Amino acid sequence: MNIPFNMPLILGKEIYYIKQVLSNQKLSGDGPFTKKCNTWLEENFGCKKALLTTSCTHALEMAAILAKIQPGDEVIMPSYTFVSTANAFVLRGAKIVFIDIRPDTMNMDENLIEAAITEKTKAIVPVHYAGVACEMDTIMGIARRNNLLVIEDAAQGVMSKYKGKYLGTIGHMGCFSFHETKNYTCGEGGALIINDERFIERAEIIREKGTNRSKFYRGQVDKYTWIDMGSSYLPSELNAAYLYAQLEMAEDINNNRINSWNSYYEELSPLADMGKIELPHIPESCQHNAHMFYIKVRDLKERTALIEYLTVNEVNSVFHYIPLHSSPAGMKYGYFHGNDNFTTRESERLLRLPIYYGLGESEISDVISVIDKFYKS
Ligand SMILES: *Cc1c(COP(=O)(O)O)cnc(C)c1O
């Protein structure tokens, strides 16, 4: 009995909505299901504008264009993140300034941002790791004082909150992922969340290949034309239909994952109390979405041994990011500001355990008994 690390979410109603798309004979983007998803995000999360995109990578690229990032501009972000967080800005010619993370949440250390700001700094990109919020009040305050934009990489943070506000709706813009490894999915997909009205009109243009086609469809102009740079960032209606079935059930999906997360936390507490492992820390300001359950072990050597032991016992566990500043492209396009006290060390200790919608209590107990056995032997 093999326990996978992730299972892409399929509830059942997706196929019903996809069949509606087929009978509507409208497969391309911005049809009824894309609009339903956009409206769902706007109404439930309380943002000014939500635009479905083909991925979070593309939502980040749109945000970089909207932020008018120019060659030589600097963008501050953690090194402990996915490549797309950096790539979106590298594509516009930016220099990436990586800063260290906090060991408790694996999020960017908000106290290190100000020292990394120069005259060239244009934006701060907080990444809400594991769906646990960065310290957004501090980050927004720094941005305000220094006239910077904040673009949240909330790829993992859909449905999470910081002080009662949904992640992605706090910065000037936020980016969601609906990749199959995320809590809500359509295989490949994402959304750009716009919280500052200044960006809405241009976002619609960039997303529609640089044309004012969105205005044309609303009858606001009588023909559409090329007016700005842009690309094709609209997902197909098939993807939107799949996603809508999951957004409708977001509360249930969230509760199911939270239950699994809480079981892991409770059942692993004895090992943590014995000092064998560390459990994730959730700050009081944050309501998380159980995107991930990770433990931290002593060091890289112990993690490698534990992964192997879990694999032999048919449990799939995985480590996560190799810090970007130590990758070939990271060295070329960016640099680490300050000391790497935690990024490398903590990334080498972190191990992600299986979590997905529908993961059973008995499977969680099985995972934990394997980990228990590892530490007893
Ligand atoms: C998954 C992820 C992305 C990329 O999302 P895609 O939808 O696959 O493009 C970006 N940033 C973070 C932090 C992620 O976890």
Side-chain angles (χ1 to χ4, degrees):
M1 176 232 36
N2 197 46
I3 303 174
F5 170 68
N6 177 57
M7 294 256 274
L9 180 54
I10 305 172
L11 295 169
K13 206 169 178 192
E14 294 88 350
I15 193 70
Y16 171 76
Y17 285 147
I18 287 173
K19 280 183 181 154
Q20 283 186 25
V21 175
L22 302 185
S23 57
N24 290 347
Q25 302 207 337
K26 162 78 181 159
L27 299 176
S28 60
D30 275 346
F33 278 103
T34 305
K35 288 191 180 119
K36 275 180 200 270
C37 290
N38 291 343
T39 305
W40 190 96
L41 293 168
E42 286 161 9
E43 286 177 353
N44 286 276
F45 293 165
C47 58
K48 298 249 163 62
K49 191 86 192 168
L51 295 168
L52 277 201
T53 57
T54 31
S55 64
C56 180
T57 301
H58 278 167
L60 286 159
E61 286 179 22
M62 283 183 68
I65 298 170
L66 287 165
K68 298 198 172 138
I69 302 294
Q70 302 295 317
D73 288 349
E74 293 178 359
V75 178
I76 299 172
M77 65 180 65
S79 170
Y80 189 68
T81 185
F82 188 57
V83 292
S84 295
T85 322
N87 257 331
F89 299 91
V90 168
L91 281 166
R92 310 251 55 85
K95 177 144 209 111
I96 309 300
V97 180
F98 298 114
I99 59 169
D100 209 5
I101 50 169
R102 297 163 43 146
D104 60 348
T105 57
M106 304 299 282
N107 283 334
M108 81 187 329
D109 185 340
E110 66 278 4
N111 297 315
L112 302 176
I113 297 171
E114 227 144 9
I117 294 173
T118 71
E119 275 163 22
K120 291 179 181 162
T121 308
K122 287 285 147 53
I124 306 169
V125 188
V127 180
H128 305 296
Y129 187 71
V132 176
C134 296
E135 203 36 72
M136 290 307 291
D137 278 354
T138 308
I139 294 171
M140 295 310 291
I142 294 168
R144 218 171 297 122
R145 286 195 299 281
N146 293 279
N147 198 24
L148 304 175
L149 290 174
V150 174
I151 296 159
E152 297 176 70
D153 182 339
Q156 302 174 14
V158 180
M159 288 289 279
S160 292
K161 289 177 182 170
Y162 170 80
K163 297 189 181 174
K165 282 190 203 150
Y166 282 100
L167 299 190
T169 70
I170 304 165
H172 299 86
M173 291 176 255
C175 303
F176 288 158
S177 174
F178 302 118
H179 185 263
E180 83 167 36
T181 52
K182 303 302 200 294
N183 294 21
Y184 310 92
T185 185
C186 54
E188 300 276 356
L192 178 66
I193 304 299
I194 301 174
N195 309 309
D196 181 330
E197 273 159 1
R198 284 179 298 165
F199 298 115
I200 294 176
E201 188 174 337
R202 191 161 179 245
E204 289 183 332
I205 291 165
I206 290 166
R207 183 167 164 274
E208 265 286 16
K209 299 100 184 160
T211 72
N212 56 354
R213 192 154 149 190
S214 299
K215 266 191 161 171
F216 172 73
Y217 279 133
R218 288 196 295 261
Q220 292 166 323
V221 287
D222 55 16
K223 58 180 189 301
Y224 82 85
T225 186
W226 183 26
I227 51 175
D228 201 339
M229 66 164 76
S231 190
S232 183
Y233 293 126
L234 294 75
S236 145
E237 273 286 284
L238 293 167
N239 285 40
Y242 192 105
L243 180 64
Y244 188 62
Q246 308 203 346
L247 292 180
E248 276 189 325
M249 297 290 288
E251 208 61 53
D252 288 316
I253 296 164
N254 199 46
N255 291 338
N256 184 285
R257 297 185 72 112
I258 295 274
N259 286 339
S260 297
W261 196 99
N262 289 341
S263 297
Y264 270 127
Y265 194 93
E266 278 162 34
E267 293 179 41
L268 283 168
S269 288
L271 263 188
D273 292 342
M274 285 159 64
K276 301 283 188 196
I277 61 169
E278 275 174 43
L279 298 179
H281 169 72
I282 311 293
E284 225 165 280
S285 54
C286 173
Q287 210 176 311
H288 73 104
N289 63 356
H291 172 63
M292 187 189 299
F293 192 92
Y294 66 76
I295 59 172
K296 286 190 193 162
V297 303
R298 193 176 52 214
D299 54 20
L300 182 59
K301 198 167 151 245
E302 186 174 295
R303 184 178 73 180
T304 308
L306 178 55
I307 292 175
E308 211 176 285
Y309 192 76
L310 284 161
T311 307
V312 168
N313 288 281
E314 303 198 314
V315 175
N316 290 287
S317 64
V318 283
F319 56 84
H320 214 181
Y321 308 127
I322 309 294
L324 294 183
H325 74 282
S326 46
S327 68
M331 286 189 255
K332 184 167 169 196
Y333 296 116
Y335 71 94
F336 198 97
H337 183 274
N339 295 325
D340 173 8
N341 291 326
F342 299 111
T343 301
T344 301
R345 196 185 83 191
E346 297 301 300
S347 71
E348 289 179 346
R349 301 173 58 213
L350 185 142
L351 182 65
R352 296 182 289 158
L353 302 179
I355 193 164
Y356 46 85
Y357 177 86
L359 176 67
E361 286 296 327
S362 70
E363 285 152 325
I364 293 171
S365 297
D366 288 349
V367 174
I368 287 161
S369 70
V370 177
I371 296 172
D372 274 335
K373 258 189 262 156
F374 175 83
Y375 281 104
K376 276 187 193 120
S377 62

